[in-house]
Each structure stands twice: as structure tokens, then as C-alpha cells.
């Protein structure tokens, strides 16, 4: 049994608390924002679990973690007492006729990223109409990626918070803490899950550098529209995804801007998101905009997630989940639990064989 303090209760902080609470540890968690998770990147995210589509530009490690996490999420969500939105019916990629060249490049990258396999089905107008009547006659072709899924980010964050509280984790919501403060005050094991909030400490303790990448999304309510899986639009300037959640709510995203500015969504980004959405189907013209939101994706130079370990100071740092946090967090957090166990048992693992993650051991 160990005394553990988790810094940051966004996606990874809550998941670590959830996984570790299955053992007899005494755990406390400090989160700057509320129990809803409103200060995390995870609160803004679309929560798509899309390792096939992300193969276009994600690293092989991220893809492998993404595939492993699909089943892990199913187990986690099914083990929670509340019934949560979870969909594993694939996703559809579409493009306008003039963008056919982009679709060809996309399919080549998709194939390359998925080890040479043609992981998609080619859909024609009839297939699209049959499967998504509200996109009838909008697109001549599409790629259907069968094994992808999505969650509801906000439901998942809240359900995890309820589960860890019920399991006895002492959660201090609305409480910002610093790493120095906690490590000077206690002899606890510390797990730093502060995402972008860990930037200063992260950038002074190891090689890879952490930065935030701004992402903007819209949430709209469109009672006339039903989509049974996420849709991505390939576009030379304004690529877009539409992630349908429960009750006709759609998360529309997302910009990817090299900036750590967390201020409100710009007019330009709002216009781009809305005009791409309208171009997918004008039925969205009467949708109501519920929210425009910004988040910073915690990103490392190499675009992989990283688990750093300082054995002497008893600190595990988890960061760099970038734009794939939901897609990979279960596998990353399970690997972090295994290195934690290995340290408790007195033999420090250098690599997690199951996930392929190499731990970064620092002094
Ligand atoms: C626009 C957008 C869309 C996205 N879409 C997807 C998607 O579709 N699929 C996907 O897989 N991923 C997506 N992501 C990525 C995903 O949200 C992140 O990778 C993930 O949230 C990172 O998890 P984290 O726990 O490291 O950071 P966060 O979720 O940001 O959590 C960090 C937490 O630490 C807290 N914190 C910071 N400093 C302190 C402090 N000093 N004291 C206490 N607490 C502190 C913060 O309040 C926050 O709650 C998206 C991200 C954005 C921004």
C-alpha cells in the first residue's frame, strides 16, 4: 500500500486514480478546475477514438496505443455504474468532387500508416445514402473506417470523478498545486498529470520540450439531424470533423494552431468551422451554436506520449498526449501503473513490453 498524490485531474489524472484505486493505495488528487473537468483539454475534446484515420500523421507508437485502448475503454466504461455514451460504429471520410486528389493522398497515407493494409471500405453515393440518409447526394464517394469509436468526453470525465470518489480517492477540486509544494510537504509518490499546466517543470527536467497547441471546437444542437458515426471532411484548407453525441449534439472541430493562447475562439476560426460544416450539409444551417471553446493540446517535440520517472524523488510524470489523449490514455495509464508497481517491488522497468513504451528515467 502506498501514499499517492496525483497532480491534475483531467483525463490522465482521473484515469490514473481510477486504475490505482483498484489496489489498496491511499490516493489524493488535486485539480485546478471543477469536478466537471472544465479546466482540462479533455473537456473541449471531441473524444474520437480513431487510430485508423490518425494513421495519416500519427507515429507508429501512438497508433499501436490507440488500437490497444479501444478494448480497454470498453472495459472501463462498462465497469462504471452509470450508463455512458460510447459508440464503436466506425467513421466516414468524405470529400467534395474537386478534392479527389486529397482523397487519393489520404488513402495512400492511410494504407502506409496501417502497415500496407486497406483498412477502409470504399463507399459510393448509394452506400452513403443508405448509411447516412442526411448526407444523401452530397458526396459521390467516401471511405468507411469500420473499427473506430468515440465517447462523450464530459460524461466520461464526470463518471470517472464519481467512480474515484466512491473508491475513496480524496479529490480536491478547484485546487491548484505546484510540484515543489507537494514534494516538499510529503513523502508521497507523486504522479504529475497536469498536461500543459506542467510545462515549466517538464521543460526543466528532461530532454523533450512540452508546448501547447491550440485547438478550437464548436458544439451545436441540430434536432433534425441524426448521424450514427463521426464524419470527417477532407479539405485543402478547412479539414473538419463532426462527432455526433447524444441528443442531437454535435462536436465540430478542430483547428490546430501553433499557439499557447487560450483565449476565446477567433472570428476566423469560427467562420471556417461553420462554413465547412454547412458545406457538409446545409441541413446544419438551422443548427443552434451552443458553445465555441478553446483548449491546448499538451504536445512534445516527438509527438509521442512520454512517461518520465524520477525514482529518487518518487515522481512519475505523464504527458504529451497531444491530439490523441482519449485515443491512447488507457494504454498509457496502464503502462504507468506497471512502472509504478515495478518501483514499489524494487525493480525499475525500462520498457513496458505490453505497450512498447520506453520509460524515460531521469535523476
Ligand atoms: C480541441 C481539442 C480536440 C481534441 N479532440 C480529441 C479527440 O477527438 N480524440 C482524442 O483522443 N483526443 C483529443 N484531444 C486531445 C485530448 O483532449 C488531450 O490529449 C488530453 O486531454 C490530455 O490529457 P491530460 O490529462 O494530459 O491533460 P488535460 O486533459 O488537459 O488535464 C490536465 C489537468 O491538469 C490540471 N492542472 C493543470 N495545472 C494544475 C495545477 N497546478 N494544479 C492542479 N491541477 C492542474 C488542469 O486543470 C487539467 O484538468 C483534443 C484536444 C483538444 C484541445
Amino acid at each position: 500500500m502506498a501514499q499517492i498524490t496525483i497532480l491534475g485531474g483531467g483525463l490522465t489524472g482521473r484515469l490514473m486514480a481510477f486504475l490505482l484505486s483498484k489496489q489498496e493505495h491511499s490516493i489524493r488528487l488535486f485539480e485546478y478546475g471543477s469536478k466537471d473537468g472544465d479546466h482540462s483539454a479533455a473537456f473541449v475534446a471531441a473524444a474520437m477514438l480513431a487510430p485508423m484515420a490518425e494513421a495519416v500523421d500519427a507515429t507508429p507508437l501512438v497508433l499501436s496505443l490507440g488500437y490497444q485502448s479501444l478494448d480497454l475503454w470498453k472495459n472501463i466504461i462498462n465497469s462504471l455504474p452509470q450508463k455512458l455514451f460510447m459508440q464503436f460504429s466506425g467513421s466516414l471520410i468524405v470529400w467534395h468532387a474537386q478534392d479527389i486528389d486529397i482523397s487519393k493522398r489520404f488513402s495512400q497515407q492511410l494504407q502506409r500508416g496501417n502497415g500496407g493494409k486497406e483498412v477502409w471500405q470504399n463507399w459510393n453515393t448509394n452506400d452513403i445514402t443508405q448509411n447516412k440518409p442526411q448526407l444523401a447526394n452530397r458526396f459521390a464517394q467516401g471511405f468507411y473506417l469500420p473499427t473506430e469509436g468515440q465517447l462523450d468526453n464530459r460524461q466520461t470525465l464526470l463518471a470517472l470523478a464519481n467512480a474515484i470518489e466512491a473508491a475513496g480517492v480524496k479529490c480536491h477540486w478547484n485546487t491548484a498545486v505546484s510540484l515543489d509544494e507537494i514534494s516538499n510537504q510529503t513523502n508521497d509518490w507523486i504522479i504529475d498529470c497536469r498536461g500543459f499546466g506542467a510545462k515549466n517543470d517538464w521543460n526543466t527536467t528532461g530532454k523533450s520540450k512540452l508546448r501547447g497547441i491550440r485547438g478550437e471546437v464548436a458544439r451545436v444542437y441540430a434536432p433534425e439531424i441524426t448521424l450514427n458515426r463521426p464524419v470527417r471532411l477532407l479539405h485543402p484548407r478547412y479539414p473538419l470533423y463532426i462527432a455526433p453525441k447524444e441528443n442531437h449534439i454535435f462536436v465540430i472541430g478542430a483547428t490546430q494552431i501553433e499557439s499557447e493562447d487560450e483565449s476565446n475562439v477567433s472570428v476566423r476560426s469560427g467562420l471556417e468551422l461553420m462554413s465547412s460544416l454547412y458545406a457538409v450539409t446545409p441541413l446544419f444551417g438551422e443548427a443552434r451554436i451552443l458553445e465555441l471553446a478553446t483548449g491546448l493540446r499538451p504536445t512534445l517535440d516527438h509527438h509521442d506520449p512520454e512517461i518520465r520517472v524520477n525514482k529518487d524523488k518518487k515522481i512519475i510524470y505523464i504527458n504529451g498526449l497531444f491530439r490523441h489523449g482519449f485515443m491512447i490514455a488507457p494504454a498509457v495509464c496502464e503502462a504507468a501503473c506497471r512502472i509504478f508497481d515495478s518501483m514499489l517491488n524494487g525493480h525499475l522497468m525500462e520498457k513496458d513490453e505490453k505497450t512498447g513504451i520506453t520509460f524515460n528515467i531521469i535523476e
Side-chain angles (χ1 to χ4, degrees):
M1 178 172 167
Q3 309 280 338
I4 304 169
T5 297
I6 298 177
L7 312 185
L11 179 60
T12 51
R14 285 172 204 227
L15 259 185
M16 284 305 292
F18 178 74
L19 296 173
L20 290 168
S21 68
K22 296 183 187 309
Q23 302 169 16
E24 297 288 303
H25 301 305
S26 161
I27 307 171
R28 52 186 196 150
L29 174 145
F30 290 93
E31 164 52 35
Y32 180 98
S34 73
K35 182 174 172 179
D36 287 342
D38 55 2
H39 195 257
S40 63
F43 192 74
V44 176
M48 288 188 299
L49 314 175
M52 283 186 172
E54 291 294 322
V56 169
D57 54 14
T59 67
L61 176 65
V62 167
L63 296 186
S64 158
L65 295 169
Y67 279 113
Q68 292 175 47
S69 294
L70 289 172
D71 280 341
L72 297 177
W73 266 127
K74 288 179 196 160
N75 295 339
I76 292 168
I77 301 283
N78 287 331
S79 74
L80 295 169
Q82 286 146 279
K83 197 175 166 309
L84 300 185
F85 174 78
M86 169 171 72
Q87 194 179 59
F88 285 91
S89 50
S91 56
L92 177 66
I93 317 287
V94 292
W95 56 92
H96 298 297
Q98 66 271 25
D99 297 325
I100 183 90
D101 287 342
I102 301 179
S103 78
K104 286 182 188 156
R105 266 201 310 280
F106 183 85
S107 66
Q108 283 161 2
Q109 289 166 311
L110 205 55
Q111 195 164 5
R112 213 171 23 242
N114 284 290
K117 283 183 265 163
E118 205 166 291
V119 289
W120 67 91
Q121 295 168 17
N122 290 302
W123 279 9
N124 59 27
T125 305
N126 289 341
D127 300 318
I128 296 174
T129 303
Q130 245 173 34
N131 286 284
K132 285 199 192 292
Q134 286 172 317
L135 298 188
N137 305 320
R138 301 289 307 162
F139 301 97
Q141 286 171 291
F143 299 140
Y144 171 57
L145 309 182
T147 59
E148 304 202 317
Q150 61 156 338
L151 305 173
D152 183 303
N153 57 333
R154 296 182 183 179
Q155 283 183 12
T156 306
L157 287 171
L158 193 55
L160 285 171
N162 287 334
I164 59 179
E165 283 182 339
V169 175
K170 292 187 189 65
C171 295
H172 303 266
W173 309 114
N174 303 302
T175 311
V177 282
S178 76
L179 183 59
D180 282 348
E181 178 189 342
I182 297 294
S183 56
N184 291 337
Q185 275 171 12
T186 70
N187 191 32
D188 288 7
W189 289 89
I190 297 174
I191 306 186
D192 187 352
C193 299
R194 288 174 296 158
F196 177 67
K199 180 177 170 181
N200 290 342
D201 290 313
W202 183 278
N203 287 351
T204 48
T205 53
K207 274 195 194 147
S208 62
K209 297 293 172 226
L210 182 69
R211 70 188 193 281
I213 295 188
R214 177 177 164 97
E216 297 152 306
V217 296
R219 277 184 175 241
V220 304
Y221 172 60
E224 307 81 17
I225 302 184
T226 304
L227 296 177
N228 43 10
R229 55 180 67 90
V231 177
R232 287 181 189 237
L233 175 71
L234 302 180
H235 192 279
R237 285 194 200 165
Y238 313 127
L240 175 95
Y241 57 70
I242 305 170
K245 307 300 179 190
E246 280 184 319
N247 304 322
H248 304 281
I249 291 182
F250 299 82
V251 179
I252 316 300
T255 59
Q256 187 160 309
I257 301 171
E258 275 295 344
S259 163
E260 293 181 346
D261 173 1
E262 281 184 275
S263 65
N264 292 352
V265 174
S266 67
V267 169
R268 178 183 174 160
S269 297
L271 280 171
E272 288 171 3
L273 287 172
M274 293 308 156
S275 46
S276 284
L277 177 65
Y278 188 73
V280 170
T281 165
L283 289 175
F284 275 108
E286 281 307 311
R288 297 297 185 256
I289 300 172
L290 301 178
E291 186 184 308
L292 292 165
T294 305
L296 294 184
R297 306 173 178 97
T299 310
L300 297 170
D301 319 328
H302 45 60
H303 285 189
D304 274 334
E306 200 174 307
I307 301 176
R308 272 186 194 166
V309 181
N310 187 324
K311 188 169 79 108
D312 298 333
K313 290 192 174 167
K314 294 169 59 181
I315 306 174
I316 297 178
Y317 308 78
I318 306 171
N319 221 317
L321 276 73
F322 184 32
R323 53 180 281 161
H324 308 113
F326 276 92
M327 188 176 108
I328 63 176
V332 172
C333 290
E334 285 206 347
C337 290
R338 283 190 285 273
I339 182 125
F340 178 65
D341 285 346
S342 86
M343 285 195 291
L344 284 186
N345 296 330
H347 57 91
L348 181 62
M349 285 162 44
E350 290 190 354
K351 185 171 180 181
D352 181 54
E353 293 304 332
K354 198 160 178 191
T355 55
I357 293 179
T358 304
F359 301 113
N360 185 358
I361 316 288
I362 59 168
E363 312 239 307

